[in-house]
Amino acid sequence: AKDYELRQYETAKWVSTVIRGETQKEAMRQGFWKLFHYIQGKNEKEMKIDMTVPVTCLVKSGCTDFKISFFVPLEHQDCPPQPTDADVFIEERKAAALFVRSFGGFASPEKYTEEADTLARILRNRGQPFHEDFFYTAGYDSPFKLFNRHNEVWYFKK
């Protein structure tokens, strides 16, 4: 469809942290830095790991806990170094079909919510079953990139 796509993602490992009781913007900031320290060597092997995209944030309806995640690079998927920060963990996300809506510009939490609401409305109108109680935000660009930015919201297909 022109206003969203359906993607199939394979099982993969992500490095994640959960930030509780903050605004989404502040949770993203805190979570990003915890994960950035992990890839800069705050792990059992003191190994630097390449930054990957997207950076995701799990947003649950009516909840102030936000899970921020970096994709583990392909060369570390089999055996990612374990985090030394107790708040950072490796998780395996199972293969899944996702409805994805892409948009440009600098994405604020409000913009992500607006795009997620738009995608949810489109999916309901087309009779597409999806998990409505949560969505992921996905950011692909450094904060220093000014033009041609790429952002997404993801809903899991039922």
Side-chain angles (χ1 to χ4, degrees), residues 32-49:
F32 178 89
W33 285 110
K34 281 185 175 291
L35 299 174
F36 187 76
H37 290 130
Y38 166 81
I39 66 171
Q40 287 297 300
K42 195 172 181 185
N43 57 63
E44 283 183 346
K45 296 180 181 171
E46 296 182 355
M47 177 188 292
K48 282 194 178 224
I49 299 167

Side-chain angles (χ1 to χ4, degrees), residues 5-87:
E5 60 184 295
L6 177 59
R7 288 188 200 148
Q8 180 66 40
Y9 280 94
E10 297 308 313
T11 299
K13 292 189 177 86
W14 296 70
V15 59
S16 302
T17 189
V18 175
I19 305 295
R20 294 180 168 83
E22 297 287 351
T23 63
Q24 185 178 345
K25 186 172 184 171
E26 179 60 18
M28 282 293 295
R29 189 189 69 74
Q30 287 182 24
F32 178 89
W33 285 110
K34 281 185 175 291
L35 299 174
F36 187 76
H37 290 130
Y38 166 81
I39 66 171
Q40 287 297 300
K42 195 172 181 185
N43 57 63
E44 283 183 346
K45 296 180 181 171
E46 296 182 355
M47 177 188 292
K48 282 194 178 224
I49 299 167
D50 289 337
M51 176 80 198
T52 60
V53 291
V55 175
T56 65
C57 178
L58 173 61
V59 180
K60 296 181 196 169
S61 300
C63 183
T64 58
D65 293 358
F66 298 97
K67 182 169 65 175
I68 294 82
S69 307
F70 289 1
F71 180 76
V72 173
L74 295 174
E75 63 268 23
H76 299 293
Q77 278 288 316
D78 289 340
C79 193
Q82 288 304 304
T84 53
D85 180 336
D87 294 337

Side-chain angles (χ1 to χ4, degrees), residues 60-129:
K60 296 181 196 169
S61 300
C63 183
T64 58
D65 293 358
F66 298 97
K67 182 169 65 175
I68 294 82
S69 307
F70 289 1
F71 180 76
V72 173
L74 295 174
E75 63 268 23
H76 299 293
Q77 278 288 316
D78 289 340
C79 193
Q82 288 304 304
T84 53
D85 180 336
D87 294 337
V88 177
F89 56 95
I90 304 293
E91 66 169 329
E92 184 171 87
R93 294 188 193 168
K94 299 297 179 207
L98 303 180
F99 292 109
V100 178
R101 181 171 172 82
S102 300
F103 60 98
F106 280 90
S108 63
E110 296 76 21
K111 180 67 173 165
Y112 277 124
T113 297
E114 178 187 313
E115 293 292 338
D117 290 347
T118 299
L119 177 55
R121 189 172 58 251
I122 291 166
L123 295 173
R124 281 188 213 104
N125 288 343
R126 298 202 178 139
Q128 293 282 8

Side-chain angles (χ1 to χ4, degrees), residues 99 123 127-131 156-158:
F99 292 109
L123 295 173
Q128 293 282 8
F130 66 101
H131 293 276
F156 280 64
K157 183 177 179 168
K158 275 190 177 173

